Structures are given as C-alpha cells and as structure tokens.
C-alpha cells in the first residue's frame, strides 16, 4: 500500500505540472514585418520645358560664314557679324546681287530684316549658326560656321562706289561692287597679303558702326 500511495502521488504531481504550463501564444500573436509598396520620390528638381528648349548664348563678338544653295546664276555667300546684341548680315553672289540685313539678338535668337522684305532667323548649334533666310522670292535653310580673322566681312567706299567682300574660312573671297547709279558689278580683288588688308580704306566689319 505504501508503494501504491507513492505511485499515485507521483501521477498527481505530473498532472499538475502539465496543466499549469503557460500557453505559448507566439505563433498566434506574431506578425510579419511590414513592407513598403510606395515609390520613392525622384531626386533633384524636375526639368521644365523651358530648360529643355534653352538656346545657346552667342559670344560677345563673332563672325559666321556660309553658302546658300546655288540659284540659276551663282552660289550666294552669307556673312553674319555679331557684336553684343547687334547683328549685321550680308549676302552676295559675287556678280550682280547683294542684300544687307540688320537687327538684334533676343533670348538667344536672331531675327533680322533688310530691304525688299528680306529676313533672316537663326540660333547657335555648337559653333554653327543655323536658321532660315528669305531673299526676295527665294527662301533657304542655311548653316554658317564660326570663322576667325582674316575671315569675315570687309567694306570700302571709293569714288562713290561701295564694295563689300566676304572671306571664308578657306580664304576664298566673294564680293560685289555697287556703282553710283545703283547697278552692281563683281568686286575687285580684296587688297590682302599674309592675312592682312593692305589698303587703309578697307575696313573689317565688327559691328553696325562699320556699315554706312
């Protein structure tokens, strides 16, 4: 009976230990870590349409020379001179036709006019001036490259005659002479040696003040 009493007491103690064990609620109460589905905002300020279409600023002083497609007679050469915000453009065919245009640069864009409803627009594309020009009934797209002296535009007035020459980057010269009666002739040779003009009556155009 003593042994039986001990066995019964042991079973009672084991039962108490089992039923008094605290319940593990970890599995029911734990939650998975939160995840974010939002998209982070882009870094830096947004690019506006004005930024994407900003024009290249012009240098304070520059010369540009190019050619226009040939007409039935001759190829027309174009010279553009920039001095600050002022622009002087001259186009001639080296024989009997010339056109002067002038105006200013506004917001990085050229829009200048001349006689007989001539007009020229343009902006910078790298070192090139690109745009559109209208001379009389003719209209062209053009590209004029930036040039360094002695290339550029030269003028002279002698014995009532007005002469203008365009020197391109390769040293070729195109010019027209306007006689006192208003008719035109090919210009005489430009008096130049070793890249320098030898006739003091000839002026290199650097701005509107050089063109009368």
């Amino acid at each position: 009976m003593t042994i039986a009493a001990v066995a019964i007491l042991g079973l009672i103690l084991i039962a108490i230990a089992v039923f008094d064990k605290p319940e593990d609620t970890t599995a029911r109460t734990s939650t998975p870590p939160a995840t974010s589905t939002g998209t982070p905002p882009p870094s830096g300020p947004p690019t506006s349409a004005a930024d994407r279409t900003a024009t290249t600023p012009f240098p304070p002083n520059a010369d540009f020379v190019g050619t226009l497609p040939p007409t039935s007679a001759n190829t027309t050469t174009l010279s553009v001179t920039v001095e600050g915000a002022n622009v002087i453009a001259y186009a001639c065919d080296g024989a009997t036709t010339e056109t002067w245009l002038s105006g200013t640069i506004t917001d990085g864009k050229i829009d200048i006019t001349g006689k007989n409803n001539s007009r020229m627009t343009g902006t910078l594309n790298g070192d090139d001036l690109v745009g559109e020009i209208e001379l009389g009934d003719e209209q062209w797209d053009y590209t004029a490259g930036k040039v360094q002296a002695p290339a550029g535009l030269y003028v002279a007035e002698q014995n009532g005659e007005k002469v203008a020459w365009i020197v391109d980057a390769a040293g070729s010269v195109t010019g027209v002479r306007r006689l006192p009666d208003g008719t035109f002739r090919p210009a005489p040779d430009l008096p130049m040696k070793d890249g320098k003009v030898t006739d003091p009556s000839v002026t290199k155009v650097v701005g509107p003040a050089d063109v009368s």
Side-chain angles (χ1 to χ4, degrees):
M1 290 181 67
T2 303
I3 295 173
V6 172
I8 292 171
L9 179 61
L11 292 174
I12 293 171
L13 294 175
I14 292 173
I16 293 172
V18 170
F19 286 105
D20 285 347
K21 183 178 179 181
E23 183 180 4
D24 185 2
T25 59
T26 303
R28 293 199 298 269
T29 59
S30 62
T31 56
T35 58
S36 172
T37 58
T39 302
S43 60
T47 301
S48 66
D51 293 333
R52 293 192 296 268
T53 59
T55 54
T56 303
F58 280 81
N61 298 92
D63 291 300
F64 302 87
V65 175
T67 57
L68 305 178
T71 62
S72 58
N74 299 290
T75 297
T76 298
T77 304
L78 173 67
S79 172
V80 182
T81 301
V82 172
E83 182 189 38
N86 298 308
V87 182
I88 292 291
Y90 176 72
C92 73
D93 65 357
T96 61
T97 302
E98 69 173 6
T99 302
W100 290 91
L101 306 97
S102 62
T104 58
I105 300 170
T106 303
D107 296 330
K109 299 178 181 180
I110 287 176
D111 191 346
I112 59 178
T113 58
K115 293 181 178 180
N116 301 319
N117 297 320
S118 57
R119 182 181 180 186
M120 190 183 84
T121 59
T123 57
L124 278 184
N125 181 9
D127 284 337
D128 292 337
L129 179 63
V130 297
E132 186 177 272
I133 186 169
E134 300 175 24
L135 303 177
D137 296 331
E138 301 288 343
Q139 179 176 312
W140 303 276
D141 292 329
Y142 72 86
T143 298
K146 186 179 180 182
V147 295
Q148 302 294 331
L153 178 62
Y154 295 81
V155 293
E157 188 168 356
Q158 304 167 338
N159 301 321
E161 299 178 354
K162 294 185 178 181
V163 189
W165 301 266
I166 300 172
V167 181
D168 66 16
S172 297
V173 181
T174 306
V176 165
R177 175 177 58 181
R178 186 172 66 206
L179 305 180
D181 62 4
T183 59
F184 297 96
R185 299 287 187 276
D189 292 338
L190 177 63
M192 180 177 289
K193 182 178 181 180
D194 299 328
K196 296 182 180 180
V197 173
T198 57
D199 187 341
S201 67
V202 177
T203 302
K204 186 178 188 304
V205 175
V206 297
D210 299 317
V211 180
S212 58

